[in-house]
Amino acid sequence: MSVETQKETLGFQTEVKQLLHLMIHSLYSNKEIFLRELISNASDAVDKLRFEALAKPELLEGGAELKIRVSFDKEAKTVTLEDNGIGMSRDETIAHLGTIAKSGTSDFLKNMTGDQKKDSHLIGQFGVGFYSAFIVADKVEVFTRRAGLSAGEGVHWSSQGEGNFEIATIEKAERGTRIVLHLKSAEDEFADGWRLRNIIKKYSDHIALPIELPKEAANEAEEQPAEQEWETVNRASALWTRPRSEVKDEEYQEFYKHVGHDFENPLSWSHNKVEGKLEYTSLLYVPGRAPFDLYQREAPRGLKLYVQRVFIMDQADEFLPLYLRFIKGVVDSNDLSLNISREILQKDPVIDSMKSALTKRVLDMLEKLAKGDAEQYKTFWKNFGQVLKEGPAEDFANKDKVAGLLRFASTAGTEGEQEVGLAEYIARMKEGQDKIYYLSGESYAQVKNSPHLEVFRKKGIEVLLLTDRIDEWLMSYLTEFDGKSFVDVARGDLDLGKLDSDEDKKAQEEVAKAKEGLAERLKSALGEQVAEVRVSHRLTDSPAILAIGEQDLGMQMRQILEASGQKVPESKPIFEFNPAHPLIERLDAEQDEDRFGDLTHILFDQAALAAGDSLKDPAAYVQRLNKLLVEMSA
Ligand code: ADP
Ligand code: MG
């Protein structure tokens, strides 16, 4: 070994220590994936070299074939991976093999409970990566040199995976990275050609560059040649360039883990070659679960961009709208220039048309998933439904397509499950129904018993129950679906259209007329608190209810704005009463105006509570109620 200089010992970032610990405890049943991860990194490193060499061909240093070599030593119990990719400088080594750049990692790890700590799926969200080497090795050494730096600027990194790593500057003749795994004594089975070959075939066949293993003598008698010969064990061609019919599901799945830096299988994928005015191939995946940083602004997103098979950049987020940011995959264009930059990408009209085509592909893939596999779609919805709800606001052109993919809880669905689609709702609408009814609120528990639903229950009409924070905002962008308009059942003057017969309507008008006097009395008791008082046609069991004015902000939006410190425009509710209710009859008969006032205020406050709102003056409510209780018991 060459001379080491500038030797120092550094500590891992706390998150790395936690992750290392968790990984060793959760991935013991799937140890062999360490090889997949290290090969994936080597392949990325070669991609980066190819890309940088477009502008600086001298980085190729003589131009040996780009490849990955995996070798082993049974006696020494080591497995070694070597690539001639981009390599790392000293600073890069410290940053990449000592820290985790993803923000939010620390919080995520801190919040994991005992059981979760053993859950390999949760750990898998990080894309297990380089540190998985420590699942099988008790010491890992990395020898690396950044392409373009001199042989004297090589780096030797080594660690036992505990709290620190050592780093030193060394001589390294070739650019690229060599990783030596000193296997734990229980894991020496990996120092075996047959075993390594199988693992590579299983997980890394799709890697586009050759992965070589030492050629072993066909039988013991045959003499080993003086110089080691190597043979390629993988297919070594870019998976997306192959015809769909020739790629097996398992290959698509393993490729996903590589491009998606994921640990689990994807839910679905779509592989397409486009020819004609624009030529490109795309391979898009829906992941199996949401990453922990799905809602973080600066979280990485976007596709891997290739131009004519040359890797250009990661996280090209110009090809899909924000509400599809969870999609992973590759796009390989024949039209873009090899020296395209992010800045140009943002302005290029070619990108715009690719973006709209790729968006359609994703929506079609989701439609297919929804039609083909209800269980899988449920999983999709649980993970990404909230993000998809951003779609109608962001993507006007595809509003209807996105709306068709939305799922809601409903009075006709399973308790609290978001599983009813709009097409399904429409298919079972009542005769004469031409609207899609919905009610939004804080939580499922709160809306499912709302008095607003009484008349719908009586008539057997389905109502969608919208309880996600984003729902009211979403509904401000959705006005109709398939020619049916949406109606918020808590809003305005409920008109059930043909669902009420002419007799019903006539009767309603008569009642309203007969109770005009009561309405006025109530209005003067409630004063400025309400915009209007009127007879309700929504109630069967409750005495009174508050409706939101047609143009007013709903409660959810009001609460969101208030929470974010914004000034919320004042709006007054409409107080509707149920003349058939015994309490209202009693009120109507009340002669004492003070008592009438107290009862009315109690009813008003109760209606606010039932709607999930908070009371402006809770103490006054309690006082009035207690006064009444005292009178009753007197
Ligand atoms: P990820 O691949 O998701 O970025 P990893 O933990 O697998 O995370 O790798 C961390 C980083 O270490 C990589 O992003 C890369 O910068 C660097 N790295 C790992 N292996 C190599 C390699 N063989 N050559 C060059 N850089 C590497
Ligand atoms: Mg990796």
Side-chain angles (χ1 to χ4, degrees):
M1 178 165 305
S2 61
V3 202
E4 303 209 330
T5 57
Q6 291 178 273
K7 205 165 164 162
E8 43 177 342
T9 301
L10 297 169
F12 285 120
Q13 183 195 23
T14 320
E15 286 91 318
V16 174
K17 281 188 247 176
Q18 288 171 314
L19 189 64
L20 273 168
H21 182 81
L22 293 179
M23 199 149 57
I24 289 162
H25 290 87
S26 59
L27 295 178
Y28 49 82
S29 60
N30 201 5
K31 292 174 177 151
E32 60 193 26
I33 56 116
F34 77 91
L35 195 60
R36 172 187 82 194
E37 295 298 327
L38 298 179
I39 288 176
S40 171
N41 286 348
S43 164
D44 287 346
V46 166
D47 270 349
K48 283 178 203 153
L49 174 72
R50 273 207 195 101
F51 172 66
E52 289 194 15
L54 291 175
K56 288 192 229 157
E58 65 274 17
L59 292 182
L60 292 171
E61 297 175 30
E65 189 199 6
L66 296 166
K67 60 178 174 269
I68 302 170
R69 276 184 169 169
V70 182
S71 56
F72 59 95
D73 182 333
K74 266 189 200 311
E75 257 101 77
K77 294 184 181 161
T78 57
V79 171
T80 300
L81 282 99
E82 179 146 29
D83 68 63
N84 50 3
I86 193 75
M88 286 178 275
S89 67
R90 187 181 170 111
D91 288 347
E92 285 168 334
T93 309
I94 294 173
H96 297 325
L97 308 185
T99 59
I100 298 175
K102 273 191 163 186
S103 64
T105 305
S106 161
D107 288 339
F108 180 82
L109 290 170
K110 235 186 283 159
N111 292 331
M112 277 171 98
T113 63
D115 277 348
Q116 290 172 330
K117 289 182 179 164
K118 296 197 191 82
D119 184 349
S120 58
H121 299 297
L122 283 172
I123 284 295
Q125 285 195 66
F126 291 94
V128 190
F130 170 78
Y131 303 108
S132 65
F134 289 100
I135 304 172
V136 297
D138 48 22
K139 181 176 172 195
V140 176
E141 288 186 277
V142 178
F143 303 87
T144 186
R145 172 164 66 80
R146 182 79 158 86
L149 294 183
S150 70
E153 291 170 276
V155 180
H156 178 206
W157 179 102
S158 93
S159 174
Q160 320 219 14
E162 274 150 6
N164 344 317
F165 57 90
E166 280 180 8
I167 190 150
T169 297
I170 54 161
E171 277 277 322
K172 189 174 183 293
E174 321 77 25
R175 67 148 197 275
T177 304
R178 180 167 76 251
I179 300 181
V180 182
L181 308 177
H182 298 268
L183 298 173
K184 295 177 182 171
S185 55
E187 314 297 349
D188 58 356
E189 58 174 276
F190 290 108
D192 179 88
W194 186 81
R195 187 72 209 272
L196 291 170
R197 174 186 299 257
N198 279 321
I199 302 175
I200 294 168
K201 285 301 279 180
K202 183 168 167 192
Y203 297 108
S204 308
D205 198 44
H206 61 79
I207 293 291
L209 67 158
I211 305 170
E212 296 182 345
L213 275 179
K215 196 166 180 163
E216 288 181 68
N219 58 58
E220 296 288 316
E222 211 172 300
E223 242 178 77
Q224 286 285 353
E227 201 184 331
Q228 178 64 60
E229 287 183 62
W230 297 83
E231 64 178 330
T232 302
V233 293
N234 67 325
R235 183 190 289 264
S237 72
L239 178 128
W240 65 90
T241 60
R242 290 160 54 195
R244 245 187 327 219
S245 57
E246 284 172 24
V247 185
K248 290 198 286 272
D249 283 1
E250 295 75 41
E251 296 180 276
Y252 277 123
Q253 288 165 342
E254 288 309 325
F255 182 69
Y256 164 73
K257 290 172 193 166
H258 169 60
V259 288
H261 295 261
D262 198 353
F263 178 72
E264 284 178 77
N265 283 333
L267 268 187
S268 181
W269 56 86
S270 172
H271 181 191
N272 297 94
K273 196 173 176 144
V274 177
E275 274 160 346
K277 227 173 88 200
L278 285 180
E279 285 189 15
Y280 62 91
T281 302
S282 61
L283 174 49
L284 306 173
Y285 289 95
V286 182
R289 87 158 49 227
F292 72 97
D293 54 2
L294 184 60
Y295 291 97
Q296 273 169 26
R297 237 170 227 278
E298 67 290 5
R301 58 167 182 268
L303 304 175
K304 235 177 156 152
L305 174 64
Y306 288 75
V307 171
Q308 293 161 35
R309 250 86 47 228
V310 178
F311 169 77
I312 302 293
M313 66 179 83
D314 268 320
Q315 299 160 26
D317 58 6
E318 290 80 9
F319 292 96
L320 286 172
L322 202 57
Y323 74 97
L324 298 178
R325 61 183 173 273
F326 52 86
I327 297 292
K328 301 263 172 83
V330 169
V331 48
D332 185 350
S333 158
N334 280 345
D335 307 305
L336 295 173
S337 140
L338 278 164
N339 55 26
I340 192 156
S341 66
R342 257 177 222 281
E343 292 66 43
I344 297 173
L345 219 48
Q346 281 157 6
K347 291 186 219 121
D348 197 325
V350 169
I351 306 298
D352 276 343
S353 55
M354 284 174 75
K355 179 175 177 177
S356 65
L358 292 170
T359 302
K360 286 232 163 57
R361 288 256 182 252
V362 173
L363 297 176
D364 287 347
M365 161 163 63
L366 294 176
E367 242 161 45
K368 216 166 118 197
L369 188 69
K371 285 210 183 87
D373 193 328
E375 271 314 301
Q376 295 251 55
Y377 196 72
K378 230 184 222 175
T379 306
F380 162 75
W381 185 257
K382 280 212 172 84
N383 280 287
F384 303 111
Q386 299 283 311
V387 183
L388 205 64
K389 283 180 176 177
E390 299 169 11
E394 187 186 355
D395 188 358
F396 188 77
N398 289 303
K399 196 154 93 166
D400 290 337
K401 245 172 149 32
V402 177
L405 293 167
L406 302 178
R407 294 293 179 271
F408 302 100
S410 152
T411 52
T414 318
E415 275 282 317
E417 292 282 339
Q418 294 186 2
E419 58 176 26
V420 177
L422 296 174
E424 184 185 352
Y425 179 98
I426 289 174
R428 58 180 181 229
M429 286 199 326
K430 283 251 141 170
E431 209 178 306
Q433 181 180 351
D434 60 356
K435 304 267 193 304
I436 301 170
Y437 295 104
Y438 71 92
L439 175 63
S440 63
E442 273 278 274
S443 66
Y444 182 78
Q446 183 229 308
V447 292
K448 76 167 178 180
N449 294 320
S450 165
H452 285 289
L453 296 175
E454 288 176 8
V455 65
F456 293 92
R457 212 170 282 130
K458 184 173 136 201
K459 290 181 183 281
I461 302 166
E462 180 171 4
V463 179
L464 300 175
L465 302 174
L466 277 48
T467 54
D468 288 329
R469 260 177 82 86
I470 190 176
D471 283 341
E472 213 179 283
W473 176 80
L474 162 70
M475 295 315 285
S476 66
Y477 289 91
L478 284 183
T479 45
E480 58 162 60
F481 181 75
D482 199 12
K484 315 276 185 296
S485 49
F486 288 96
V487 171
D488 178 351
V489 305
R491 195 174 277 279
D493 195 3
L494 186 67
D495 177 6
L496 290 179
K498 292 204 186 75
L499 292 165
D500 277 333
S501 64
D502 288 346
E503 290 95 88
D504 283 345
K505 287 201 178 118
K506 215 165 145 228
Q508 285 170 7
E509 273 166 33
E510 274 164 20
V511 178
K513 219 168 166 75
K515 296 294 167 189
E516 253 169 23
L518 176 58
E520 260 163 43
R521 251 179 109 195
L522 289 166
K523 172 79 178 91
S524 61
L526 291 170
E528 290 306 301
Q529 288 187 82
V530 293
E532 192 188 337
V533 173
R534 66 187 176 213
V535 168
S536 182
H537 311 304
R538 317 175 200 244
L539 298 174
T540 58
D541 305 325
S542 301
I545 200 169
L546 299 182
I548 311 162
E550 204 66 68
Q551 307 302 335
D552 289 343
L553 281 180
M555 199 163 30
Q556 251 186 358
M557 286 283 265
R558 243 168 45 215
Q559 284 167 351
I560 292 173
L561 291 176
E562 270 164 12
S564 70
Q566 295 193 54
K567 217 171 134 57
V568 184
E570 246 226 278
S571 63
K572 294 176 189 171
I574 297 154
F575 183 80
E576 291 192 356
F577 61 98
N578 172 7
H581 195 279
L583 261 176
I584 300 294
E585 285 174 351
R586 155 100 216 280
L587 198 63
D588 203 5
E590 181 59 63
Q591 301 298 323
D592 179 343
E593 283 307 316
D594 278 349
R595 169 94 50 81
F596 182 90
D598 281 346
L599 279 172
T600 304
H601 278 103
I602 289 174
L603 281 177
F604 176 85
D605 285 349
Q606 283 184 342
L609 288 173
D613 212 346
S614 53
L615 298 183
K616 296 221 169 54
D617 188 354
Y621 169 74
V622 172
Q623 262 170 26
R624 287 194 186 104
L625 196 62
N626 286 349
K627 198 166 131 198
L628 214 68
L629 292 172
V630 170
E631 281 173 26
M632 272 172 60
S633 52

